[in-house]
Amino acid sequence: MSEQNRDLDERLESAFGPVIEAIADGAVARERDRRLPRDEVAALKEAGFGALRVPTAFGGWGISLEQEFRLLIRLGAADSNLPQLLRGHITFVETQRAQPEGALRTEWLRRLGAGRTLVGNAQAERGDATATETRLDERGGRLLLSGRKFYSTGTIYADWIWVGARRGDEAVALAVPADAPGVTRVDDWNGFGQRLTGSGTTLFDDVEVDPRQVLPWSENAERRPLAYTQALYQLVLLAAQAGTARAVLRDAVGFVRPRTRTFGVAGVSLPREDPSVQSVVGRLSAIASSVEAITLSAVRGLDALDGDDGAGEDEYQRALATVFEAQQVVLPLVLEAATSLFEVGGASAVDADRSLDRHWRNARTIASHNPAIHRERALGDHRLNGTPFRTGPHAAAAAAGTAAARVGSAAAAGK
């Protein structure tokens, strides 16, 4: 490690180590009381977490993706809600970093580099069909945003919101201040896990939008394919899972070490000397180490493309494939760990005050986002047929068109 990198790591540890430790200390109480981590998010923001990937020329830390994800895994071990609620911000920073040079990019990077701005994400909507009903309309010379978003993770903690909408027949992406008149953020996420991510409803009622903040979706992906952004979204979830695996190991060890009784053994005994318990903890240790290594390996694949102007679609598709492959391995391993945790303690381990069940609930909830079963099929199609992974707002329509074309080709070949 170079002296420069060592110095940067020391600065990162000094800035964020104590904050992450404090977040871990309050995790069980927040989970039990369903208290949103507003203070904890504010502490991260104050320390400059939101500026990790902003170039130093704009006041940020300028660290690599791998350095950022090492911190995200630590944060996930402290509380898996935190990496996920920062997911929209992390991706927004990457979007701005890769925008063409211009006044708006400079403005955003300076704002983000100051470290006091977090950006939430409001893209998905509930409905009978997958579609974007949120509209951006011009009335009386003003651009007005109206719609209802759900799964708007992190928005309840944010200063700005990155929104997907329709402007006529065009898909657009735009940023609005979270406190703008007409914006309402509701904590109505009702999942049994990741309950503190603020992944609920965001309402826009004729919110006036600065025209400068509106981008056609084709420009939202900046100077590189959307596969980069799609991979990044999944990697943040994998970082939260890797952090959960760390937390499972930590809590298993913390539970077993002080105990002086074992099921079926009279008198005082030491579970930490029980070969069965040792075997379980050994397995948890292997899982925690492995899923972190797998996640960081996938991160490095994406990191290698950052700033590589010569990289093409094929390179980004390969990096995305690596992320999807990691997903197939990491998710079941973390779920196994979160279940096996209870093998070390019998009935005492299910005491609600310990909230050890939160690890399984959180891991299962994260695994349900962008379900891995779809990625498994897509990986097979990619390897067998060279089919690119679907990205962008028109992915479903494009996939349907591709499937129809294949059917037509097969029919033609059969004639």
Side-chain angles (χ1 to χ4, degrees):
M1 179 185 293
S2 70
E3 189 66 31
Q4 183 178 9
N5 284 340
R6 187 177 296 109
D7 177 64
L8 178 56
D9 285 344
E10 289 176 357
R11 288 171 50 221
L12 290 169
E13 179 61 33
S14 176
F16 302 113
V19 178
I20 292 174
E21 287 180 13
I23 288 171
D25 289 343
V28 172
R30 286 192 301 275
E31 176 73 20
R32 191 169 52 237
D33 301 336
R34 205 187 187 285
R35 179 179 67 79
L36 295 177
R38 295 183 187 274
D39 293 342
E40 290 73 17
V41 173
L44 284 170
K45 184 165 70 170
E46 183 66 26
F49 204 91
L52 287 174
R53 286 279 290 159
V54 177
T56 56
F58 297 96
W61 290 85
I63 68 174
S64 68
L65 270 181
E66 182 174 354
Q67 288 172 310
E68 179 179 49
F69 272 82
R70 288 186 182 277
L71 280 173
L72 284 173
I73 291 171
R74 289 182 60 186
L75 188 58
D79 185 338
S80 65
N81 289 277
L82 272 296
Q84 187 180 348
L85 70 83
L86 291 167
R87 189 180 180 214
H89 178 87
I90 290 164
T91 308
F92 182 80
V93 170
E94 296 301 310
T95 295
Q96 296 305 319
R97 287 178 72 252
Q99 286 288 335
E101 298 287 345
L104 185 59
R105 176 183 185 270
T106 298
E107 177 186 320
W108 265 114
L109 289 177
R110 285 176 177 167
R111 181 183 289 127
L112 295 165
R116 302 295 185 268
T117 298
L118 287 180
V119 180
N121 191 44
Q123 304 291 333
E125 300 179 13
R126 280 179 158 175
D128 295 333
T130 301
T132 299
E133 301 295 336
T134 299
R135 307 294 302 181
L136 183 64
D137 298 314
E138 185 171 353
R139 298 199 299 270
R142 302 160 66 207
L143 279 180
L144 300 175
L145 179 70
S146 294
R148 184 186 189 96
K149 298 290 187 178
F150 197 66
Y151 305 116
S152 42
T153 303
T155 290
I156 206 164
Y157 306 98
D159 304 291
W160 285 75
I161 308 172
W162 189 234
V163 187
R166 305 290 303 182
R167 186 177 185 180
D169 294 330
E170 180 185 28
V172 295
L174 56 112
V176 296
D179 60 356
V183 176
T184 303
R185 295 170 286 175
V186 184
D187 180 31
D188 58 351
W189 166 241
N190 198 36
F192 61 62
Q194 295 295 95
R195 297 189 293 184
L196 308 181
T197 57
S199 299
T201 299
T202 305
L203 302 170
F204 301 96
D205 184 12
D206 282 348
V207 178
E208 186 164 6
V209 174
D210 181 350
R212 296 185 313 120
Q213 299 292 349
V214 181
L215 294 176
W217 195 278
S218 59
E219 294 177 15
N220 182 29
E222 339 89 26
R223 299 171 301 204
R224 59 191 172 201
L226 273 168
Y228 181 95
T229 303
Q230 188 174 8
L232 193 69
Y233 271 126
Q234 297 308 313
L235 283 171
V236 174
L237 295 181
L238 291 180
Q241 294 282 41
T244 295
R246 270 196 186 191
V248 166
L249 174 61
R250 176 200 67 214
D251 288 355
V253 171
F255 178 85
V256 170
R257 276 181 175 166
R259 293 185 63 76
T260 57
R261 56 182 291 177
T262 301
F263 174 79
V265 178
V268 174
S269 62
L270 298 177
R272 68 176 181 271
E273 296 180 353
D274 184 326
S276 298
V277 173
Q278 291 173 348
S279 180
V280 172
V281 173
R283 175 65 176 168
L284 298 181
S285 178
I287 288 175
S289 176
S290 297
V291 299
E292 181 168 340
I294 291 167
T295 299
L296 290 175
S297 177
V299 168
R300 284 191 287 272
L302 203 61
D303 212 357
L305 297 176
D306 185 45
D308 182 358
D309 294 334
E313 179 69 36
D314 287 347
E315 286 85 358
Y316 284 95
Q317 288 283 317
R318 280 196 290 272
L320 184 56
T322 300
V323 173
F324 288 163
E325 288 163 349
Q327 194 180 29
Q328 299 303 314
V329 177
V330 167
L331 300 185
L333 282 176
V334 178
L335 287 168
E336 177 195 332
T339 299
S340 298
L341 166 62
F342 295 95
E343 301 295 342
V344 303
S348 298
V350 302
D351 189 322
D353 287 342
R354 298 182 186 276
S355 292
L356 294 179
D357 62 307
R358 77 187 189 278
H359 298 312
W360 184 90
R361 290 187 289 102
N362 291 339
R364 180 62 265 174
T365 300
I366 294 172
S368 298
H369 288 283
N370 309 119
I373 189 172
H374 294 287
R375 308 305 186 195
E376 187 174 56
R377 186 214 59 78
L379 280 166
D381 192 15
H382 180 70
R383 297 299 184 191
L384 290 168
N385 304 307
T387 306
F389 299 108
R390 295 181 293 175
T391 57
H394 307 298
T402 300
R406 283 196 189 136
V407 171
S409 296
K415 288 182 180 178

